[in-house]
Amino acid sequence: MANWKKAPIREALGKTLVELGDRYPQVLVVNADLRNSVKSIYFMEKYPDRTIEVGIAEQNMIGVAAGLASLGFIPFAVTFARFASKRAADQISMSVDYCRNNVKIIGAYAGIFTGAQGVSQQMIDDTAAMRAMPNMTVIDTADVHEVRSALLFAAEFSGPVYIRIGRDEWPVVFDETYTFELGKGRWLREGSDVVLLNSGILLPYAVEAAELLESEGISAGVVNMPSIKPIDAALINDISRNVGAIVTLEAHNVQGGFGSAVAEVTAANYPVPIEMIGLRNEYSESAPNDALLEKHHLNPPWIAAAAKRALDRKNRLRC
Amino acid sequence: MVSDLSVLLTDRQGQPYSLTSERIKHLEYLCESTRRDIVDTLYKIGRGHAGPSLSMVELLISLYFEELRFDPSDPKWPDRDRFILSKGHGSLGYYAVLAQRGLIEKRELDTFESLGSRLQGHVDSNWLPWVELTTGSLGQGLSYAVGVAIAAKRQAKDLRAYCLLGDGECQEGNVWEAAMSAAKYRLDNLLAIVDWNNLQGGVTLEVMPSLEPFALKWQAFGWHTIEINGHDLQAVLQAYHQARQTKEKPTVIIARNIKGKGVSYMENKVEWHGGTVTKELHQIALEEINARLSELSQYADEKYGRNHG
């Protein structure tokens, strides 16, 4: 098993926002309270004049951000994913996505590992809502380095972006050299029997599952795909053709999320067996992360079991 | 003969001017001409929100002929004032005003709501460059205007944000979220105008949860409030002037209007939110409007209006 170094994800969000402030004078942060939780407090402390605080009013947060963007600012609207996405879903659709206003929406506390605070502070259907918006770029993040890189990308990119970001101390998979690439997945580990295709925070467990599978003589690849929209269809097609079995991983409901996005690609091009790791059309609860990983079958043994099911279906199809 | 109303105002550039009755009459003429275009388009196309368009004509003609700073040759001039029609269903009236002002051609009104037309059923910034924000999903325009006003202050730009809302629209919680933030940032470069026509979507406001006391609500949210008869052009211009003089807080003009104003059988009739007119009803409307136009015809010449250079 990998012995992961851990780092707090929300600290990376807070620090990177300050870095963005240092680099780009046009960057503003729009808060809807929660600055202490999502760590945008660091930006506020350094750049009080560049912080817009609307209070607990996410619909207004999005509309104000759109107005700020219209005069050339790059507003980062930062709050919990539940409130940043669907609480203001129509404002995002009409005032940001349709009009292509250059607003960056940061959904912190995405997924279920949000400090044992229960369902109302988790978010498992934001990817589904955001990726259905035609002009939206949707990114999920795995560790502190991917968080930083995705935020830097968003500041440079012209157009609406939604980024999912976790909260807790979390395994560090990448290093400082990591660079997010829009629409690109990346192999972390080669494999010829099955590929574990990950978007977001379950990445270390995908790596551990691949090691488990290897110990059982199964060659499992690991591909990380933070860019959910646009998605790396070329790489998915390669995997479909050359490997022929896929497990998708996401801290999100399997209905409508990253797994669905992958399945849309395979179904249209080269259908192969897919098993989806994620919330199985269910809500979570407040509990320590280990307990939630086990409850929702997100642990490496469960991932390995899913990989074997996909591999088994592949082999039966090919008989 | 030039008669002076003895009303001294400043225009958007800060230049003083004396509001004359001729100038008012000229604006009245433009309003009636706009109403004729609304009714004609409604008849030709067979669809449109007549009531919500007719109620806001004086407010918009005053904005586009007297108040807003913009470049008629460049809808995206960076320093333009931003006008956001939050009540996006007032599209027909808005387009008719743009045509009256010469920003689109009058014949383009005939394309209203047709495939590929810039004149979408609800105003749409992806199609028509004069539109700042696509609206119609009610309650969102004021937040955008707040963002514009904050951005303008940060950039030390002398541009103002204007946002026209419907009365029924103010049932949206988003409006009051925006109102709170506008007061917090002391946005004296923001003007909200509420077209209070007392009817919405086929019913009277009395059917709805009450918005009254409406002015007190805005005051409680930290706004300067001005209540006027929104069909009284002099009152409208004075209110715009007063809003510009008001510092350290945003201003809202509550314009008590008549839905369907200017067409007798539409006025204050809930059934004229949307819909069309028959040939006979079109004729009746035209006769009423044309009678007023002929009364005002001596003021048709733009020499009576503001010198637009």
Side-chain angles (χ1 to χ4, degrees):
Chain A
M1 280 302 123
N3 189 19
W4 303 105
K5 178 177 163 260
K6 290 190 173 184
I9 287 188
R10 60 178 171 168
E11 287 292 323
L13 168 57
K15 287 174 184 163
T16 308
L17 288 174
V18 174
E19 185 182 349
L20 292 175
D22 296 342
R23 286 193 185 200
Y24 305 99
Q26 318 94 297
V27 164
L28 306 177
V29 167
V30 187
N31 283 322
D33 195 32
L34 295 175
R35 77 208 71 77
N36 295 322
S37 300
V38 302
K39 302 301 173 191
S40 55
I41 181 92
Y42 302 149
F43 186 94
M44 192 181 94
E45 284 166 352
K46 184 161 185 186
Y47 296 113
D49 294 344
R50 291 163 64 184
T51 302
I52 314 296
E53 175 60 76
V54 299
I56 304 170
E58 294 80 10
Q59 300 176 35
N60 189 44
M61 171 182 73
I62 295 299
V64 167
L68 293 166
S70 76
L71 266 77
F73 287 109
I74 307 172
F76 279 68
V78 189
T79 186
F80 289 8
R82 174 170 295 283
F83 317 131
S85 62
K86 289 180 76 177
R87 184 60 177 259
D90 189 54
Q91 282 73 12
I92 296 171
S93 172
M94 292 308 310
S95 298
V96 176
D97 189 67
Y98 179 66
C99 302
R100 293 186 174 85
N101 271 313
N102 193 26
V103 175
K104 317 304 171 182
I105 302 161
I106 309 305
Y109 287 50
I112 60 171
F113 308 113
T114 59
Q117 299 191 69
V119 169
S120 69
Q121 316 297 301
Q122 300 169 332
M123 190 54 178
I124 61 160
D125 51 353
D126 49 338
T127 299
M130 293 298 113
R131 79 180 190 88
M133 295 192 189
N135 298 322
M136 187 64 71
T137 292
V138 182
I139 299 167
D140 204 346
T141 55
D143 76 348
V144 290
H145 298 298
E146 197 164 69
V147 165
R148 174 176 175 270
S149 190
L151 288 165
L152 292 173
F153 159 81
E156 289 276 350
F157 179 78
S158 177
V161 177
Y162 179 75
I163 304 180
R164 305 187 88 215
I165 291 176
R167 171 192 183 276
D168 289 349
E169 285 264 330
W170 208 256
V172 179
V173 181
F174 300 111
D175 63 25
E176 289 77 9
T177 64
Y178 176 83
T179 305
F180 168 85
E181 284 183 276
L182 181 66
K184 292 288 181 197
R186 188 175 303 178
W187 290 92
L188 270 70
R189 181 189 174 107
E190 298 284 329
S192 56
D193 291 328
V194 59
V195 167
L196 311 179
L197 199 46
N198 174 79
S199 193
I201 208 161
L202 297 178
L203 182 59
Y205 306 113
V207 172
E208 290 180 18
E211 290 169 0
L212 266 181
L213 288 161
E214 185 181 31
S215 70
E216 298 179 35
I218 296 169
S219 170
V222 177
V223 167
N224 188 47
M225 203 166 267
S227 179
I228 296 175
K229 184 173 186 168
I231 200 160
D232 192 344
L235 179 52
I236 293 169
N237 288 335
D238 274 356
I239 293 166
S240 300
R241 280 199 201 87
N242 300 324
V243 180
I246 293 173
V247 177
T248 61
L249 298 99
E250 61 192 309
H252 184 277
N253 193 359
V254 296
Q255 298 194 358
F258 172 67
S260 300
V262 172
E264 286 165 14
V265 175
T266 61
N269 297 287
Y270 200 91
V272 295
I274 298 178
E275 291 286 326
M276 294 185 190
I277 295 291
L279 279 291
R280 295 157 295 175
N281 197 37
E282 63 195 338
Y283 288 100
S284 189
E285 63 176 301
S286 58
N289 291 342
D290 286 348
L292 295 183
L293 281 164
E294 183 58 29
K295 175 186 174 178
H296 298 295
H297 295 189
L298 308 172
N299 265 334
W302 290 107
I303 299 168
K308 288 179 202 166
R309 288 197 301 276
L311 184 55
D312 184 50
R313 284 162 58 205
K314 170 177 120 173
N315 290 336
R316 278 189 280 131
L317 281 169
R318 292 191 173 177
C319 280
Chain B
M1 165 187 147
V2 176
S3 65
D4 193 338
L5 295 168
S6 301
V7 178
L8 193 65
L9 300 175
T10 55
D11 66 15
R12 176 67 184 83
Q13 327 298 334
Q15 299 300 313
Y17 73 97
S18 183
L19 190 58
T20 61
S21 60
E22 284 74 16
R23 192 152 165 169
I24 295 288
K25 292 283 186 194
H26 177 64
L27 290 171
E28 281 178 22
Y29 177 86
L30 296 174
C31 289
E32 295 304 332
S33 175
T34 302
R35 287 203 161 86
R36 185 170 60 189
D37 291 338
I38 291 170
V39 169
D40 280 350
T41 306
L42 189 69
Y43 175 61
K44 282 183 202 162
I45 304 298
R47 291 183 304 278
H49 286 86
S53 291
L54 290 166
S55 67
M56 64 184 195
V57 168
E58 281 79 10
L59 296 171
L60 283 192
I61 286 290
S62 303
L63 272 181
Y64 274 85
F65 282 83
E66 295 283 347
E67 178 72 8
L68 292 176
R69 189 151 67 187
F70 59 93
D71 179 352
S73 66
D74 178 11
K76 296 303 173 195
W77 176 48
D79 292 341
R80 69 192 182 277
D81 288 337
R82 268 46 169 196
F83 171 70
I84 295 111
L85 182 68
S86 196
K87 48 170 282 189
H89 57 290
S91 55
L92 179 54
Y94 173 73
Y95 298 144
V97 169
L98 292 186
Q100 192 68 49
R101 185 64 179 81
L103 303 177
I104 64 173
E105 291 191 37
K106 282 204 174 186
R107 66 181 179 198
E108 191 171 359
L109 293 174
D110 293 347
T111 72
F112 178 60
E113 290 190 348
S114 64
L115 187 67
S117 171
R118 300 197 300 170
L119 310 187
Q120 294 282 298
H122 288 69
V123 297
D124 192 316
S125 53
N126 286 12
W127 286 90
L128 186 63
W130 292 107
V131 178
E132 298 290 348
L133 181 72
T134 300
T135 55
S137 179
L138 294 174
Q140 300 189 25
L142 190 59
S143 287
Y144 184 88
V146 167
V148 165
I150 293 172
K153 280 190 176 282
R154 285 199 51 81
Q155 295 173 348
K157 279 182 187 272
D158 177 28
L159 68 80
R160 291 175 59 76
Y162 296 77
C163 181
L164 180 60
L165 301 100
D167 47 3
E169 178 176 14
C170 293
Q171 291 153 6
E172 287 281 4
N174 195 168
V175 171
W176 301 100
E177 292 183 2
M180 271 189 283
S181 59
K184 169 179 158 68
Y185 286 98
R186 301 194 297 275
L187 299 178
D188 48 20
N189 56 347
L190 170 65
L191 173 62
I193 309 161
V194 179
D195 175 16
W196 184 285
N197 56 38
N198 210 41
L199 303 173
Q200 69 179 91
V203 293
T204 64
L205 284 188
E206 281 75 39
V207 176
M208 299 292 165
S210 177
L211 285 164
E212 299 283 14
F214 196 56
L216 287 177
K217 280 194 171 71
W218 288 95
Q219 285 164 25
F221 276 73
W223 287 57
H224 176 62
T225 58
I226 306 171
E227 287 193 82
I228 56 168
N229 169 357
H231 302 302
D232 177 342
L233 285 156
Q234 182 179 327
V236 171
L237 291 174
Q238 285 180 297
Y240 292 164
H241 167 83
Q242 190 188 122
R244 275 186 271 110
Q245 308 304 313
T246 304
K247 300 302 176 192
E248 294 292 312
K249 52 164 63 175
T251 295
V252 58
I253 296 171
I254 300 165
R256 303 285 182 176
N257 289 341
I258 294 170
K259 199 158 180 172
K261 172 74 176 176
V263 178
S264 59
Y265 55 84
M266 290 187 186
E267 287 191 359
N268 282 326
K269 294 288 194 297
V270 288
E271 56 269 35
W272 285 101
H273 179 74
T276 187
V277 287
T278 61
K279 189 175 180 183
E280 291 71 28
L281 287 174
H282 179 231
Q283 277 308 315
I284 293 170
L286 274 189
E287 282 165 21
E288 292 177 9
I289 294 166
N290 283 337
R292 291 195 295 272
L293 276 171
S294 64
E295 278 175 30
L296 292 162
S297 61
Q298 60 178 302
Y299 302 103
D301 196 300
E302 63 187 34
K303 75 181 180 191
Y304 292 111
R306 170 180 155 188
N307 178 8
H308 292 291

